[in-house]
Amino acid sequence: PLSGVSLSMQPPNGQVALGDLLVLSCAVATGTGPLSFSWHRGGSATPLGTGPCLELHVGDKDSGHYQCRATDGDSTAESPPLHVT
């Protein structure tokens, strides 16, 4: 099963100005097979994007908690939420 899903970001402190580029990256410590990713903000079921990275040109409504969900077809794991201000 998947485990150890983690997020990292550039810039590392998560504080960005309007219009800046914020890059979130998702990593999986253990898991087998082809992985797929989806990105969610504030518990929304609708994905913001798919793939191991999410790039945001930060706007007024982009603050909040972001999570990456990884699946290998058999199991799904979520990262801890990451707060962006």
Side-chain angles (χ1 to χ4, degrees), residues 17-35:
L18 289 178
D20 283 357
L21 178 64
L22 176 69
V23 180
L24 304 179
S25 300
C26 189
V28 177
T30 52
T32 59
L35 297 175

Side-chain angles (χ1 to χ4, degrees), residues 13-55:
N13 63 6
Q15 293 191 335
V16 289
L18 289 178
D20 283 357
L21 178 64
L22 176 69
V23 180
L24 304 179
S25 300
C26 189
V28 177
T30 52
T32 59
L35 297 175
S36 60
F37 299 92
S38 61
W39 291 91
H40 303 271
R41 183 178 69 225
S44 170
T46 304
L48 298 170
T50 56
C53 293
L54 178 68
E55 292 188 1

Side-chain angles (χ1 to χ4, degrees), residues 6 9 14 18 25 29 31 35 40-42 49-50 52-53 55 61-64 67 71 73 75 79:
S6 62
M9 69 173 104
L18 289 178
S25 300
L35 297 175
H40 303 271
R41 183 178 69 225
T50 56
C53 293
E55 292 188 1
K61 298 178 180 157
D62 289 326
S63 288
Q67 278 186 297
T71 181
S75 62
S79 69

